[in-house]
Amino acid sequence: MNLAAWLGRAAKSSRDRPAILADNRALRDYGGFAERSSRLAAALTGPLGCEAGDRVAIVSKNSADYLEMLYGIWWAGLAAVPVNAKLHGAEIGWILENSGARLALASSDIAGDVDAHRPATLRELIEVGSADYAKLFAATPLPLQARAPGDLAWLFYTSGTTGRPKGAMLTHRNLAAMSFAYLSDVDPTMPGDTLLHAAPMSHGSGLYAMAHVCRTAANAVPASGGFDPDEVLRLISDRPGTSMFAAPTMIKRLLEAPREIDPATIRTIIWGGAPMHVADAIRAIDRFGPRFAQIYGQGESPMTISVLPKTDIADRDHPRWRERLASAGIANSAVEVMIADFHDTPLPTGEAGEILVRGDAVMPGYWQNPEATAAALRGGWLHTGDVGAFDADGYLTLMDRSKDMIISGGSNIYPREVEEVLLAHPGVREVSVIGRPDDDWGEVVVAYVAGKANAGELDALCLSGIARFKRPKDYVFVEALPKNNYGKILKTELRRQDAERARATNRDAS
Ligand code: AMP
């Protein structure tokens, strides 16, 4: 089945219902959205010569054109390669080459940069909004092209907190399973609801569009094309019944925004993509009410590994409410989740090990990378590289990425539990805990802290909350922590900077 069939159906059943909003202005109804997508499909397969299965890249920040491009590509039976527009031109060029994209559609702010780094394999680069782009919509509509469930729909380049990004192949089946599970587990969207694309559509937020098209909800794209907390709060107030995906750093920024809104206008804010510390989650619930759900997923099983449902987050009287807030919830309906040791042997409840996933949402592999595919999908399970443990009720607590775990004096220390304690200090804005190589201990715990606090206060907090051996041996106060383009803290970069600091200190001392 072609995912764009949901759009074809909506164009008939809900022709006049708003589908795409530019800011809060209705730009396309479902009839218009489907018509433009089918015209673009005709141009892609006609004059532009794309053939079934060819990849077409979209390099654009969020825009009202985005979904027409995505669905036009699918309508034509092609595969989309959404590229993060915040990447460096050379990184974009690398993805274009690796994906073998035949054609790229790039927004005007970035088209020049893409052109400067375009690989020889890219036959055509068209600037969104140009006369050439407008011409694509003059073609006679193409009928929806057939696709098999296992055909490639979206080549999802991982955010690459280490090394080169890899292209996770997401099929029509993967994205359909992901969308059904979203509607049953995360947010049972109704026709007429709104999805606000405040996070990048090339990544987190774009994946939410499919469930919303399936339910004929509206997709609103902020005029800024980025994340502006004040704009987001204004847009939510304008349209009661709005949901959105927000990474934890975005939720923190919403909390700092002065604009007051009626929280009842929020339908659901879904957080995920990185750990949300409990203190921040409680601040968010206090300000906006129990209108949150959490998802845990990764590009290889998009949005779909576990879910902490809204009802759990709202259940403040539950004796284990805080524990549950600190967890990533229960296994998502579309997958099975298992905790295993290094030999893939299942571990008992309560024991920490690598999180493995299998089911219809899990990718069939990485694009043209059989070694990485074989390693990731060993034994039919996706090896997430995340460490976690289930409790007796089936709630999954994520410890950390396996490589982030600190081993000090033979004891395993998960940075997240130390970070949770430090974040309880009201002056701490951000914190990241890493291991520093040490001759005596193997590694010692080091906390990088942004905010107003001193080492004595932080130490006292640790002593009141966690074992002595987990306490940071050193606190480094910084303005901000290194992050990637998705706002994820780069522990690898922090470890590198820390090693450099240590070298400089040794030099000064000698
Ligand atoms: P990406 O493939 O860029 O979406 O990154 C996926 C990774 O982000 C996962 O493997 C986890 O390490 C992390 N992650 C995703 N969701 C959560 C969550 N809810 N809590 C903590 N970490 C998360």
Side-chain angles (χ1 to χ4, degrees):
M1 189 198 107
N2 187 331
L3 275 170
W6 295 342
L7 176 58
R9 177 182 69 171
K12 293 185 186 140
S13 69
S14 314
R15 166 164 287 278
D16 301 327
R17 192 166 287 154
I20 300 176
L21 311 174
D23 218 51
N24 55 10
R25 185 173 55 86
L27 184 69
R28 307 266 177 252
D29 54 23
Y30 269 96
F33 177 15
E35 187 189 324
R36 284 186 51 95
S37 300
S38 60
R39 287 182 188 276
L40 175 60
L44 292 173
T45 49
L48 292 168
C50 295
E51 288 168 19
D54 277 353
R55 276 83 53 219
V56 176
I58 306 173
V59 194
S60 166
K61 62 180 185 180
N62 288 2
S63 87
D65 299 295
Y66 210 102
L67 292 181
E68 290 178 355
M69 296 190 264
L70 190 60
Y71 276 84
I73 292 167
W74 288 339
W75 195 282
L78 309 172
V81 188
V83 183
N84 177 2
K86 285 193 206 148
L87 294 179
H88 185 276
E91 295 171 304
I92 295 174
W94 185 87
I95 290 177
L96 294 177
E97 182 165 19
N98 184 262
S99 64
R102 191 180 174 109
L103 172 82
L105 302 166
S107 52
S108 53
D109 53 324
I110 200 168
D113 206 17
V114 176
D115 198 27
H117 293 90
R118 65 188 282 174
T121 42
L122 189 76
R123 301 236 193 111
E124 201 89 43
L125 171 65
I126 297 176
E127 186 178 319
V128 178
S130 66
D132 283 347
Y133 183 75
K135 260 193 244 150
L136 303 178
F137 295 90
T140 307
L142 182 79
L144 180 74
Q145 299 300 292
R147 291 277 77 190
D151 284 340
L152 180 65
W154 182 317
L155 207 46
F156 189 104
Y157 278 84
T158 54
S159 61
T161 44
T162 50
R164 288 270 197 206
K166 294 190 283 286
M169 297 190 285
L170 302 179
T171 64
H172 289 263
R173 179 192 284 113
N174 292 151
L175 297 178
M178 171 197 82
S179 304
F180 294 145
Y182 175 85
L183 294 173
S184 78
D185 290 10
V186 184
D187 196 26
T189 308
M190 299 301 284
D193 286 340
T194 302
L195 170 68
L196 180 62
H197 289 282
M201 294 169 88
S202 60
H203 203 75
S205 199
L207 295 167
Y208 288 70
M210 283 133 253
H212 288 77
V213 169
C214 181
R215 298 296 291 143
T216 63
N219 286 271
V221 186
S224 70
F227 175 66
D228 171 344
D230 188 65
E231 181 184 42
V232 162
L233 293 176
R234 174 176 60 77
L235 291 173
I236 292 176
S237 304
D238 285 352
R239 285 187 76 87
T242 293
S243 296
M244 66 176 215
F245 167 72
T249 42
M250 292 167 64
I251 293 185
K252 280 184 156 182
R253 289 189 54 204
L254 286 179
L255 287 173
E256 287 159 11
R259 183 187 285 266
E260 287 299 334
I261 65 161
D262 173 5
T265 52
I266 301 171
R267 181 178 162 77
T268 312
I269 296 179
I270 299 106
W271 87 70
M276 170 88 131
H277 296 98
V278 175
D280 291 331
I282 293 177
R283 268 178 223 142
I285 298 163
D286 287 345
R287 164 104 182 256
F288 297 119
R291 296 182 173 81
F292 292 87
Q294 181 196 178
I295 54 130
Y296 157 51
Q298 57 178 205
E300 294 80 349
S301 187
M303 288 161 50
T304 313
I305 299 176
S306 69
V307 53
L308 186 64
K310 222 167 156 177
T311 42
D312 281 349
I313 294 178
D315 191 6
R316 232 177 161 132
D317 295 330
H318 192 282
R320 285 207 287 281
W321 182 64
R322 273 173 172 273
E323 255 171 74
R324 288 190 173 174
L325 273 189
S327 81
I330 55 174
N332 183 291
S333 300
V335 291
E336 290 172 82
V337 183
M338 169 168 92
I339 304 296
D341 66 12
F342 289 125
H343 308 289
D344 292 351
T345 310
L347 288 170
T349 301
E351 271 188 44
E354 185 171 10
I355 300 169
L356 311 190
V357 190
R358 71 177 176 197
D360 274 357
V362 175
M363 64 159 192
Y366 293 111
W367 178 250
Q368 293 186 336
N369 196 338
E371 297 84 32
T373 299
L377 296 177
R378 230 166 42 234
W381 290 87
L382 169 68
H383 292 65
T384 61
D386 292 319
V387 176
F390 274 117
D391 70 12
D393 298 342
Y395 285 74
L396 176 68
T397 293
L398 279 166
M399 313 302 191
D400 282 290
R401 306 283 302 165
S402 39
K403 63 181 178 342
D404 292 336
M405 195 180 72
I406 302 167
I407 307 183
S408 186
S411 302
N412 293 357
I413 299 166
Y414 294 104
R416 169 115 188 243
E417 48 177 340
V418 186
E419 290 163 2
E420 292 282 6
V421 171
L422 297 175
L423 269 166
H425 188 294
V428 172
R429 258 187 300 122
E430 283 182 329
V431 65
S432 184
V433 165
I434 56 167
R436 178 187 292 161
D438 182 86
D439 290 343
D440 292 335
W441 295 93
E443 280 180 303
V444 291
V445 178
V446 178
Y448 274 75
V449 181
K452 286 197 180 64
N454 65 48
E457 293 161 357
L458 295 176
D459 227 32
L461 253 182
C462 288
L463 283 171
S464 67
I466 46 171
R468 293 188 83 86
F469 72 89
K470 296 181 184 170
R471 239 174 354 140
K473 294 268 183 301
D474 191 12
Y475 294 92
V476 184
F477 295 90
V478 289
E479 272 303 304
L481 297 167
K483 303 202 185 74
N484 74 4
N485 282 308
Y486 297 99
K488 291 194 196 204
I489 293 172
L490 292 168
K491 285 199 192 269
T492 313
E493 172 60 16
L494 203 54
R495 281 190 285 262
R496 196 193 60 72
Q497 291 180 5
D498 191 62
E500 216 157 76
R501 278 186 78 247
R503 272 197 298 276
T505 316
N506 287 343
R507 258 200 315 273
D508 291 348
S510 61

